[in-house]
Amino acid sequence: MNETNRPAPAAQDPGRFGRASAWISRRRSALISSALRGAAYSSGAGAVGLLFWWLRQMI
């Protein structure tokens, strides 16, 4: 009848990769939206840049 009350083992820290993957999974739709918005802005800026470059070559 000599039982000892041992504390429960501490939960392990998920580590950097585990925290990053959890963060990404929670914010997946926001990240996809931001990536698509960035792609649209960059392609628009590139198209405008090419248009002005083409106009300068014609003058």
Side-chain angles (χ1 to χ4, degrees), residues 29-48:
S29 64
L31 292 172
I32 291 171
S33 172
S34 295
L36 287 174
R37 186 180 306 124
Y41 286 154
S42 64
S43 62
V48 169

Side-chain angles (χ1 to χ4, degrees), residues 12-59:
Q12 289 185 345
D13 187 27
R16 181 178 290 180
F17 181 75
R19 286 190 308 265
S21 67
W23 183 84
I24 287 172
S25 68
R26 285 192 308 266
R27 293 167 176 82
R28 186 175 311 273
S29 64
L31 292 172
I32 291 171
S33 172
S34 295
L36 287 174
R37 186 180 306 124
Y41 286 154
S42 64
S43 62
V48 169
L50 284 174
L51 178 68
F52 277 95
W53 175 79
W54 181 64
L55 288 173
R56 293 277 302 198
Q57 297 298 317
M58 293 183 69
I59 295 177

